[in-house]
Amino acid sequence: MPALQIDRISKSYILHTQGGRVLPVLDRFDLDVEAGECVALSSPSGSGKSTILRAIYGNARIDSGAIWVSHEGERINLAAATPRLLLALRREVLGYISQFLRVIPRVPALDIIAAPLYADGVAQEEARGRAARLLGRLNLPERLWSLPPATFSGGEQQRVNIALAFIKHYPVLLLDEPTASLDAANRDVVVQLIEEAKQKGAAIIGAFHDRDTAARIASRQVSIEAMA
């Protein structure tokens, strides 16, 4: 059974500013992702890559189809999950690097990264230590760890996003342009983190602008045909 199964999903957007025009994005899209593999969505901009990732995470509701993951011994259709179940799945199953940083204002970066470990019952000292090691590995200067990420540069915020996705093991990882705004050294760190997650059995699906990075980490690449 695939760790992530996308079953004939379709999605359209209604453009209210254009008189209710309907913009189709996905039409009966299928994809299975096995534990321990990384699938790169390698299609042009506008073909629906980010929409697929947002649909899996529950930020975009699909029009039809199903998205299946395993949770506590059951197969769960993410497209039909209640808000409470979806929150539980985000805590325990779905890791997500988005293109945007959404954090609680005034909370230091170190505590933001440690928060998923706090929720799992990890002691504060150990959680902060693990967060510090990960931020250090991502070359985020220690002087920033006690500051809220809203004050950071784009590349620094991206490293906070990355750290949130890799601070613990998630069975399914969603990567939306994970190496955007990063220099070559930090791209290499992200590649290493992805490889380690694969070895731990994570099923990974990602959209990559950087083709070289995609080629380095992808078990296979899947093309999505852009809809007219």
Side-chain angles (χ1 to χ4, degrees), residues 60-140:
R61 287 293 182 181
I62 58 177
D63 301 328
S64 61
I67 303 170
W68 299 96
V69 296
S70 294
H71 176 58
E72 296 183 346
E74 297 183 19
R75 294 292 283 176
I76 304 294
N77 179 9
L78 291 167
T82 64
R84 177 174 295 190
L85 177 56
L86 187 59
L87 287 175
L89 291 166
R90 289 176 177 179
R91 287 193 302 267
E92 301 169 26
V93 179
L94 303 171
Y96 184 32
I97 299 177
S98 78
Q99 297 184 42
F100 307 99
L101 179 67
R102 296 183 178 89
V103 294
I104 301 172
R106 295 181 294 280
V107 176
L110 194 66
D111 285 317
I112 287 171
I113 305 307
L117 301 179
Y118 297 154
D120 286 348
V122 178
Q124 184 183 55
E125 183 177 358
E126 180 183 348
R128 287 172 64 89
R130 287 166 60 178
R133 288 191 293 274
L134 184 53
L135 289 176
R137 188 174 175 186
L138 286 162
N139 301 305
L140 190 75

Side-chain angles (χ1 to χ4, degrees), residues 2-214:
L4 172 66
Q5 185 174 24
I6 301 173
D7 184 13
R8 296 175 65 81
I9 64 170
S10 296
K11 172 67 179 175
S12 297
Y13 291 103
I14 299 176
L15 307 179
H16 296 287
T17 59
Q18 297 186 25
R21 176 189 167 204
V22 176
L23 179 66
V25 179
L26 299 169
D27 182 27
R28 298 185 297 277
F29 178 75
D30 282 307
L31 179 65
D32 290 348
V33 185
E34 302 289 344
E37 76 165 337
C38 177
V39 174
L41 304 174
S42 60
S43 304
S45 178
S47 60
K49 299 188 298 295
S50 291
T51 295
I52 291 169
L53 299 178
R54 292 177 66 241
I56 298 168
Y57 200 64
N59 286 342
R61 287 293 182 181
I62 58 177
D63 301 328
S64 61
I67 303 170
W68 299 96
V69 296
S70 294
H71 176 58
E72 296 183 346
E74 297 183 19
R75 294 292 283 176
I76 304 294
N77 179 9
L78 291 167
T82 64
R84 177 174 295 190
L85 177 56
L86 187 59
L87 287 175
L89 291 166
R90 289 176 177 179
R91 287 193 302 267
E92 301 169 26
V93 179
L94 303 171
Y96 184 32
I97 299 177
S98 78
Q99 297 184 42
F100 307 99
L101 179 67
R102 296 183 178 89
V103 294
I104 301 172
R106 295 181 294 280
V107 176
L110 194 66
D111 285 317
I112 287 171
I113 305 307
L117 301 179
Y118 297 154
D120 286 348
V122 178
Q124 184 183 55
E125 183 177 358
E126 180 183 348
R128 287 172 64 89
R130 287 166 60 178
R133 288 191 293 274
L134 184 53
L135 289 176
R137 188 174 175 186
L138 286 162
N139 301 305
L140 190 75
E142 188 171 353
R143 61 182 170 78
L144 298 178
W145 297 357
S146 62
L147 300 178
T151 64
F152 293 2
S153 70
E156 292 163 349
Q157 289 187 352
Q158 182 69 352
R159 279 174 274 173
V160 172
N161 270 336
I162 292 164
L164 275 170
F166 290 104
I167 191 62
K168 57 181 278 186
H169 172 69
Y170 290 99
V172 176
L173 272 176
L174 315 173
L175 312 180
D176 195 357
E177 304 291 357
T179 56
S181 305
L182 299 184
D183 58 23
N186 281 306
R187 285 198 298 272
D188 287 342
V189 174
V190 173
V191 168
Q192 293 167 9
L193 290 169
I194 293 171
E195 289 293 345
E196 291 168 10
K198 286 165 61 178
Q199 291 171 11
K200 292 176 182 176
I204 305 172
I205 178 172
F208 298 89
H209 176 74
D210 182 349
R211 294 184 179 181
D212 290 339
T213 299

